[in-house]
Amino acid sequence: MEAVEDVVIVGAGIAGLTTSLGLHRFGIRSLVLEASDTLRVTGFAFTTWANAWKVLDGLGIGDSLRQKHKQLDGMVVTSTTSGQPSSRLPFKSQNSEVRCVERKLLLEDLVKELPDGTVRYSSKVVSIEESGHFKLLNLVDGTIIKTKVLIGCDGVNSVVAKWLGFKKPASTGRSAIRGCAYYSGSHGFGPEFKLFIGKGFRSGFLPCNDSAMYWFFTWTPSSQDGDLEENTTKLKEFVLNKLQDLPDQVKAVIETTRTDIDDVIYSPLRYRQPWELLWANISKGNVCVAGDALHPMTPDIGQGGCSALEDGFILARCLATALLKKPSGGGEEEEWKWIEMGLKSYVKQRRWRSIDLITTAYMVGRIQQSEGKLMNFLSDRVLSPILPGLLLKKSSFDVGRLNIA
């Protein structure tokens, strides 16, 4: 069976759904193919900085998410070596809106705004072929979808990125354990981002709202750690052992987190080597990639989800410009040229931004998690005092408006 679509987006994650909703705001229909049978909510939550809120407001879902998530007053970076705060930064004095948003609630709000049938679940793309300018997507169930525009938002193992010639993301040698503690009443924490750095690891604790606390722990695994991936009870015990010097109230967040497989996850940290983006085909003809398919990065500056929102917003605007402003009566070849120009405009706006974020996140993570007197000095005395300001600087990116000039 062969179906024909104008725009197909592979992956119903943050970038894919943002792109689809952006196009919908312009009156352009898209089909989103999702391999899973439900929305993917891996990762629990993520920090949404000012750049993310500009996108969410532009899409018209910012206020809905604000009602469900507490605004953070500031950030405290504490050295686990000295036990003393290295820096404090009040967000509100910087006129910066920062919240910790539950990924599930964000994706649900994005999907709610889309027409019924936009997202097709259990639709895994196994290969891509060409038919003239059209792309043929072969699904695992034997379905073939023919499309004018193909957008890959299918994560670090992207089929579309592979078709464009991207290499597999590189390993950082580091891993992360993430969890979320849900309380029947109030957790008792103030609206503050607590970050602990030193002794070869970094860990953070952020309230999403009055009853949910998101936490993460990143480190460099060794053979002495044993097999942690399949046992969530061991994951919690491992983190608590590493964080034994932290305040009891903070450790209680991890203890409160249930050991269900859905509440604690382990994941190796991978990234796109930034120099690959210097010459890579981020777009080729009527095909492009966005989100983690384009720029997988480490979580050290909290811009993975935010930059995926940026991608989708800008991509929707560039593609809408091509599809809606192309001269009438130009013929089929003229239409293909406008689509290609639209995607090239997107690439021009995202290439260097992606390189900057990947590089900064990688370097921040390496310094924070390195051990030894020199690296501890750099982390505690040099990086930690400037880190909150650096995070705000990277979040000051302005995506502009969702309209066509």
Side-chain angles (χ1 to χ4, degrees):
M1 181 179 71
E2 181 178 288
V4 181
E5 300 285 344
D6 284 340
V7 181
V8 171
I9 299 167
V10 183
I14 295 175
L17 293 176
T18 300
T19 306
S20 182
L21 181 54
L23 290 172
H24 175 60
R25 296 301 190 219
F26 286 108
I28 298 172
R29 181 184 182 280
S30 63
L31 174 66
V32 182
L33 301 177
E34 171 54 44
S36 304
D37 55 3
T38 58
L39 283 174
R40 291 177 288 127
V41 294
T42 303
F44 305 117
F46 69 101
T47 312
T48 50
W49 299 85
N51 53 327
W53 288 105
K54 290 173 184 175
V55 173
L56 297 171
D57 285 335
L59 293 172
I61 62 171
D63 287 341
S64 171
L65 288 164
R66 285 185 180 93
Q67 293 172 13
K68 305 165 191 171
H69 301 93
K70 186 180 290 291
Q71 183 169 357
L72 302 182
D73 290 341
M75 178 179 189
V76 178
V77 182
T78 299
S79 166
T80 51
T81 304
S82 67
Q84 300 299 315
S86 304
S87 62
R88 296 177 182 269
L89 180 69
F91 293 142
K92 290 183 178 179
S93 69
Q94 304 294 318
N95 294 318
S96 183
E97 180 179 8
V98 184
R99 301 171 194 260
C100 186
V101 168
E102 291 187 63
R103 187 176 299 262
K104 178 175 182 290
L105 298 181
L106 168 62
L107 297 183
E108 287 175 348
D109 273 11
L110 288 167
V111 169
K112 255 189 286 187
E113 295 294 312
L114 291 168
D116 291 342
T118 298
V119 182
R120 184 182 299 178
Y121 297 100
S122 301
S123 299
K124 183 178 181 179
V125 177
V126 293
S127 65
I128 302 167
E129 298 176 17
E130 296 186 77
S131 176
H133 290 292
F134 287 93
K135 298 299 176 284
L136 301 179
L137 307 181
N138 297 290
L139 307 190
V140 70
D141 64 359
T143 301
I144 299 174
I145 297 179
K146 186 176 183 180
T147 182
K148 284 183 180 179
V149 182
L150 173 60
I151 301 170
C153 301
D154 43 341
V156 293
N157 297 312
S158 170
V159 174
V160 181
K162 182 179 179 182
W163 185 87
L164 285 170
F166 277 99
K167 299 176 183 177
K168 288 185 177 181
S171 170
T172 63
R174 301 163 54 208
S175 292
I177 299 173
R178 301 178 177 95
C180 200
Y182 298 98
Y183 296 74
S184 55
S186 174
H187 47 61
F189 283 86
E192 191 173 64
F193 182 172
K194 297 181 181 294
L195 181 65
F196 299 88
I197 301 171
K199 298 184 179 180
F201 64 83
R202 62 188 293 273
S203 187
F205 299 81
L206 302 87
C208 298
N209 46 49
D210 289 333
S211 59
M213 283 288 294
Y214 170 64
W215 59 268
F216 61 82
F217 174 83
T218 64
W219 87 110
T220 303
S222 69
S223 57
Q224 297 177 344
D225 296 338
D227 184 14
L228 297 171
E229 295 187 43
E230 302 300 325
N231 191 316
T232 54
T233 300
K234 283 185 178 180
L235 288 175
K236 282 180 57 175
E237 292 174 353
F238 176 78
V239 175
L240 286 168
N241 181 59
K242 291 290 186 180
L243 301 181
Q244 55 186 315
D245 295 331
L246 266 58
D248 290 341
Q249 184 192 25
V250 172
K251 290 187 291 186
V253 175
I254 300 170
E255 292 169 342
T256 301
T257 305
R258 296 178 301 179
T259 55
D260 296 350
I261 192 65
D262 292 335
D263 292 304
V264 183
I265 59 169
Y266 169 95
S267 53
L269 298 180
R270 293 184 281 173
Y271 75 116
R272 178 81 66 206
Q273 293 174 327
W275 51 86
E276 185 181 0
L277 291 181
L278 287 172
W279 57 77
N281 287 322
I282 297 174
S283 73
K284 183 179 179 182
N286 55 347
V287 181
C288 74
V289 285
D292 280 347
L294 169 60
H295 48 58
M297 66 185 74
T298 63
D300 305 286
I301 59 172
Q303 280 296 324
C306 298
S307 58
L309 286 165
E310 289 180 9
D311 287 348
F313 193 85
I314 293 171
L315 176 53
R317 184 173 61 219
C318 291
L319 187 54
T321 300
L323 295 174
L324 299 178
K325 293 193 71 175
K326 66 180 187 298
S328 60
E332 189 175 294
E333 286 300 319
E334 188 72 16
E335 182 177 25
W336 294 117
K337 288 180 182 178
W338 274 79
I339 290 172
E340 184 174 8
M341 284 192 299
L343 298 186
K344 284 183 176 179
S345 175
Y346 157 74
V347 171
K348 184 177 180 180
Q349 296 179 60
R350 300 310 294 164
R351 189 187 299 274
W352 287 104
R353 171 69 170 165
S354 299
I355 291 172
D356 176 35
L357 294 178
I358 291 171
T359 304
T360 304
Y362 181 83
M363 294 306 299
V364 167
R366 284 298 298 268
I367 294 173
Q368 286 180 344
Q369 283 192 215
S370 296
E371 297 187 77
K373 291 183 178 180
L374 175 60
M375 297 308 292
N376 281 335
F377 174 82
L378 289 174
S379 178
D380 291 351
R381 301 295 180 85
V382 180
L383 178 61
S384 293
I386 67 170
L387 181 61
L390 176 65
L391 300 184
L392 288 180
K393 182 179 179 181
K394 295 304 175 186
S395 71
S396 64
F397 185 85
D398 190 351
V399 293
R401 296 178 178 273
L402 193 67
N403 57 18
I404 299 175

